[in-house]
Amino acid sequence: MKASKCNLSIACDIALVAIMLALPGRMPGQTAAAKSSGGDGTSAAHWSVQVDQVDSGNLDLAYSFQIAIYENLVDELNKTKQFQQVFRDGDLRAGALPNLLVLKTIIAKYTPGSETRRAVTTVSGATKLTVRSQLLTREGKVVLERTVNGNVHFFGSNLRATHNLAHNIAKTIKQSSWSGSGQPTAILTGQL
């Protein structure tokens, strides 16, 4: 039974990578988000964001997790409607924009979990991810820096933690006091 679930997990990881590689037309393309206005009367919608590839740092994180975090980040940032456009890493169209921010995500901590242990008991088997997320201007000035967590404690696949992480990063950006001016009053740091 354990070997069967392990094989199923490996097969799902391979299928995810295969799907990502099978859709090359989507990878370099941009996805657009609708304009929105911040609560303080200023609009961040004239800014676009480019999502850089996830940096695993010195951790041994499966490539499928890195891809899943990246794809979920692009989707979740589009859902916030905070940016005029959301670009993928390497999209040449982003280079011509004057108001471009870059989102960098660096894995700080990873605790692999066990779907089987989560199904049997609610006190063990959690998958946990902690990242340092930075939103920078084109010149490299940090406008937002946060440590964000994502995890799956009860039910769901281990990759569900990547969705929760991306959701928390997008939520942090949306709820931050960054005004969209590109000139922060102070670097916002903290943990969510």
Side-chain angles (χ1 to χ4, degrees):
M1 181 83 170
K2 287 184 181 180
S4 173
K5 287 189 177 186
C6 182
N7 289 339
L8 179 62
S9 177
I10 291 170
C12 287
D13 289 346
I14 291 171
L16 178 66
V17 171
I19 289 170
M20 298 300 166
L21 295 175
L23 299 172
R26 185 172 180 229
M27 292 299 284
Q30 83 185 43
T31 45
K35 292 184 179 183
S36 69
S37 183
D40 60 356
T42 60
S43 175
H46 69 280
W47 286 89
S48 294
V49 66
Q50 176 178 311
V51 181
D52 275 3
Q53 291 291 328
V54 175
D55 182 358
S56 65
N58 59 357
L59 298 175
D60 186 26
L61 184 67
Y63 189 65
S64 60
F65 268 78
Q66 293 176 46
I67 293 291
I69 293 168
Y70 179 79
E71 289 298 322
N72 284 317
L73 271 173
V74 171
D75 289 341
E76 291 296 322
L77 286 172
N78 273 319
K79 287 178 187 177
T80 67
K81 301 187 185 319
Q82 290 290 289
F83 300 101
Q84 185 176 19
Q85 295 174 308
V86 178
F87 291 98
R88 295 173 180 277
D89 193 14
D91 192 326
L92 298 177
R93 294 174 285 181
L97 296 175
N99 293 333
L100 181 71
L101 296 172
V102 178
L103 178 65
K104 293 189 179 289
T105 307
I106 302 164
I107 307 295
K109 191 172 164 185
Y110 168 63
T111 305
S114 168
E115 294 175 40
T116 304
R117 287 169 61 196
R118 280 196 303 275
V120 173
T121 178
T122 59
V123 294
S124 67
T127 300
K128 300 176 184 177
L129 286 162
T130 302
V131 301
R132 190 178 85 224
S133 187
Q134 294 179 320
L135 197 58
L136 303 115
T137 63
R138 180 186 303 277
E139 296 78 28
K141 186 172 185 176
V142 177
V143 294
L144 179 70
E145 181 174 9
R146 293 282 169 104
T147 300
V148 184
N149 298 310
N151 54 52
V152 58
H153 280 285
F154 300 110
F155 299 105
S157 72
N158 288 334
L159 287 176
R160 179 72 181 167
T162 64
H163 174 268
N164 294 341
L165 175 68
H167 177 76
N168 290 343
I169 291 170
K171 181 178 167 184
T172 299
I173 291 171
K174 186 173 183 175
Q175 292 178 348
S176 72
S177 60
W178 176 68
S179 68
S181 67
Q183 303 297 325
T185 53
I187 296 174
L188 302 170
T189 60
Q191 184 167 353
L192 174 69

